[in-house]
Amino acid sequence: MREFGQPRIVVIGGGTGLPVLLRGLKQYPVDITAIVTVADDGGSSGRIREDLHVPPPGDVRNVLVALSDVEPLVEEMFQHRFKTSNELSGHSLGNLIIAAMTSITGNFVHAIQEMSKVLNVRGKVLPAANQSVVLHAEMEDGTIVSGESKIPYSGKKINRVFLTPKQIRPLPETIQAIRQADLIILGPGSLYTSLLPNLLVPRLGDEVCRSHAKKVYICNLMTQAGETHGYTASDHVRAIYDHLSSAFIDTILVNNEEIPQDVQLRYNEELAHPVLYDVDRLTELGLETVYADIANLENGALRHDPKKVAKILYNLLINETKRRYEA
């Protein structure tokens, strides 16, 4: 029997979904490791990536802030985005600070570690790789679109995504965290441009598939134009399985409350619609399905409710931890 300690959670993703989830999870007595995508090539992150030749800091910045324990003013400063008519315009101060720290330390991972100390981060934040990667999508018609920011605007259906360069090495710390995890959480976030870029890093995805931890996929609330238009919940899962050549998810968390009509109408303008939770197909895939009212409207945007989702995940974690430690 293993000695009982603080349960370990690994959360994998990026974009806007991951920070929302982490804000809820950090309120619980758990050991959190967030593994974050480095495929972003748009906006401030893309400019820093191209100009300074460092991995894109944007997703990492948002995760650091989500897990931080600092005064609100410090968080606001770190997230401040310049609105000027010069080269600073559009840049986030946090992105620039992370880039500067990377230059000082000579290493993106070391920069994140130092910023974690400054921001009093509760947990560990790790990039999926200690280098920039390029995300490519092979469309249904065989054409290739390169660049994370360009893929959703191709106007074509995605067949698969893949990374370059071929020689991408995961951090030893990410492999260790996955192997020691009691619970691995995938998502929420853009399926092809936030979640899969992490799992496609060589060895990282394989370690997730082989892990004995309970694996939970948090399904998106809405479909996304250019990525998952018309996708059901099982379509999301099948896309993950197809890319990893393994059926490895144990549980899927889905929203069971109807999205208000006025909210749906707003999202219709973006060609986004509520994800259909096709229960029979999820059952055929061997998934335990957890239904709950987990949607929340924040500044006009539909998000997962951090408190509700974290509570559900913590209960799943405690049950799984007890089972594993008593084995």
Side-chain angles (χ1 to χ4, degrees):
M1 182 184 294
R2 217 167 67 174
E3 183 182 352
F4 190 86
Q6 197 171 61
R8 300 175 179 129
I9 297 179
V10 168
V11 190
I12 302 174
T16 58
L18 185 56
V20 170
L21 172 62
L22 293 173
R23 286 184 185 277
L25 282 176
K26 75 175 183 180
Q27 306 302 326
Y28 289 87
V30 293
D31 182 338
I32 301 172
T33 298
I35 299 176
V36 190
T37 178
V38 286
D40 189 9
D41 63 354
S44 172
S45 284
R47 290 161 60 193
I48 288 174
R49 168 180 175 149
E50 184 176 343
D51 295 342
L52 302 179
H53 306 291
V54 299
D59 286 311
V60 166
R61 182 196 83 245
N62 288 326
V63 168
L64 286 171
V65 169
L67 288 173
S68 69
D69 186 12
V70 292
E71 293 295 327
L73 186 60
V74 176
E75 178 179 332
E76 186 178 349
M77 179 188 70
F78 200 68
Q79 291 286 59
H80 176 73
R81 197 171 293 276
F82 293 98
K83 297 177 181 178
T84 64
S85 58
N86 56 30
E87 290 183 356
L88 275 178
S89 183
H91 275 306
S92 158
L93 180 59
N95 284 356
L96 296 173
I97 292 174
I98 294 172
M101 191 64 76
T102 302
S103 179
I104 291 168
T105 63
N107 187 290
F108 187 56
V109 175
H110 292 166
I112 296 170
Q113 291 170 344
E114 293 304 315
M115 291 311 305
S116 295
K117 296 174 187 176
V118 171
L119 294 172
N120 195 21
V121 166
R122 297 187 188 183
K124 187 180 292 183
V125 180
L126 297 170
N130 196 16
Q131 65 187 95
S132 295
V133 300
V134 179
L135 182 68
H136 309 268
E138 179 189 279
M139 300 304 179
E140 207 169 38
D141 63 0
T143 59
I144 303 294
V145 176
S146 298
E148 180 266 346
S149 62
K150 299 180 182 67
I151 290 170
Y153 300 101
S154 68
K156 300 175 182 179
K157 187 175 181 180
I158 298 171
N159 182 35
R160 69 181 182 103
V161 291
F162 59 97
L163 300 175
T164 59
K166 290 186 177 181
Q167 299 301 321
I168 304 171
R169 287 181 295 180
L171 298 171
E173 295 94 327
T174 63
I175 301 302
Q176 182 181 19
I178 291 167
R179 289 177 176 176
Q180 293 178 342
D182 297 298
L183 181 71
I184 296 176
I185 303 168
L186 307 175
S190 300
L191 175 63
Y192 289 105
T193 55
S194 290
L195 178 57
L196 282 170
N198 294 289
L199 297 174
L200 293 177
V201 171
R203 285 191 61 207
L204 197 156
D206 292 338
E207 289 289 346
V208 170
C209 293
R210 285 198 296 263
S211 170
H212 295 294
K214 188 179 188 69
K215 304 172 194 76
V216 180
Y217 174 52
I218 304 177
C219 193
N220 293 342
L221 302 169
M222 307 291 289
T223 61
Q224 186 174 352
E227 287 204 39
T228 54
H229 182 69
Y231 273 39
T232 65
S234 70
D235 290 331
H236 283 75
V237 174
R238 287 181 186 277
I240 296 171
Y241 286 178
D242 287 346
H243 280 78
L244 276 294
S245 299
S246 174
F248 63 94
I249 299 171
D250 301 300
T251 303
I252 183 171
L253 176 58
V254 299
N255 177 53
N256 70 346
E257 288 295 311
E258 186 174 352
I259 307 299
Q261 284 298 318
D262 61 323
V263 177
Q264 288 194 42
L265 286 173
R266 261 180 281 158
Y267 273 89
N268 284 347
E269 296 175 5
E270 303 174 16
L271 300 179
H273 308 280
V275 172
L276 172 65
Y277 302 115
D278 44 350
V279 183
D280 291 343
R281 289 194 175 183
L282 292 172
T283 302
E284 288 173 7
L285 289 171
L287 292 171
E288 171 195 18
T289 305
V290 176
Y291 304 93
D293 175 12
I294 54 174
N296 184 38
L297 200 61
E298 181 182 317
N299 297 323
L302 199 63
R303 302 277 185 249
H304 286 84
D305 187 301
K307 292 182 179 179
K308 292 179 180 179
V309 173
K311 184 177 181 180
I312 293 168
L313 292 172
Y314 184 70
N315 288 334
L316 287 173
L317 171 64
I318 292 304
N319 292 335
E320 178 64 14
T321 304
K322 287 180 180 177
R323 183 190 69 79
R324 293 185 64 197
Y325 279 76
E326 290 172 359

